[in-house]
Amino acid sequence: MNKDNLKALYRGSDINEVWQSYQNERVIEHPKLGLISPNEYRQSYHGKPCPFCGKKMVHGKANYSTKSRQEAISRGYQYKTQNGKNYINHAGRFPRLYFHPHYVTLDHKVNKARCPELLFEVSNLQIMCWKCNQNKSDNNNFEAEQDYNFVSDLAREALSKYKKL
Ligand SMILES: [Zn+2]
């Protein structure tokens, strides 16, 4: 992975495509775990508490997702979002998969569309459960509340690159 190539990506869809296609490639240099893929990184948190809500996280599509909405509800996957709506984590369309509320996710502190060169940078990645990630996307102040200084520094740096656009 050449970081100069990442800087040339601007469209959110391009960046997402790169992120998706590298899920099983060893592109993250983790200080303790070594060179690992995004999927291996998530997997290493199976059974561990979410750093934000403290609930035990799970990983593994075979055991913690289902194609059936009814089955998802009967397994207790449905929860209420911060604005009180019933919600089930889901991904894909054909088929749509419904996931356990505390499924492990790998989140970018600085949005990947805003700062693509930090796509695989371990300091810009944080593990959290899907439910917390979902709540985060409802709340633009999440980063500020969690880790204000780190993110504001990165954000300032990222935004300064876009002044000329
Ligand atoms: Zn959580």
Side-chain angles (χ1 to χ4, degrees), residues 69-132:
R69 189 183 162 81
Q70 278 312 311
E71 171 66 16
I73 291 169
S74 73
R75 289 187 193 178
Y77 286 4
Q78 186 166 271
Y79 61 88
K80 286 211 188 296
T81 61
Q82 281 177 338
N83 52 27
K85 283 199 292 195
N86 285 331
Y87 190 80
I88 310 174
N89 300 324
H90 59 270
R93 295 187 70 183
F94 304 108
R96 173 165 279 191
L97 280 179
Y98 297 95
F99 284 83
H100 189 287
H102 303 298
Y103 202 88
V104 183
T105 68
L106 194 50
D107 179 64
H108 290 89
K109 293 184 187 179
V110 174
N111 188 290
K112 52 189 181 296
R114 198 160 259 184
C115 212
E117 62 269 37
L118 297 180
L119 202 52
F120 304 110
E121 183 61 47
V122 71
S123 61
N124 191 41
L125 295 171
Q126 60 185 349
I127 293 282
M128 67 178 74
C129 81
W130 199 324
K131 184 179 177 182
C132 285

Side-chain angles (χ1 to χ4, degrees), residues 19 22 25-31 33-39 41-42 106 119-123 125:
W19 176 244
Y22 279 87
E25 303 291 330
R26 294 192 162 152
V27 286
I28 299 169
E29 283 183 53
H30 192 280
L33 303 170
L35 205 56
I36 51 166
S37 70
N39 268 334
Y41 195 14
R42 288 189 197 88
L106 194 50
L119 202 52
F120 304 110
E121 183 61 47
V122 71
S123 61
L125 295 171

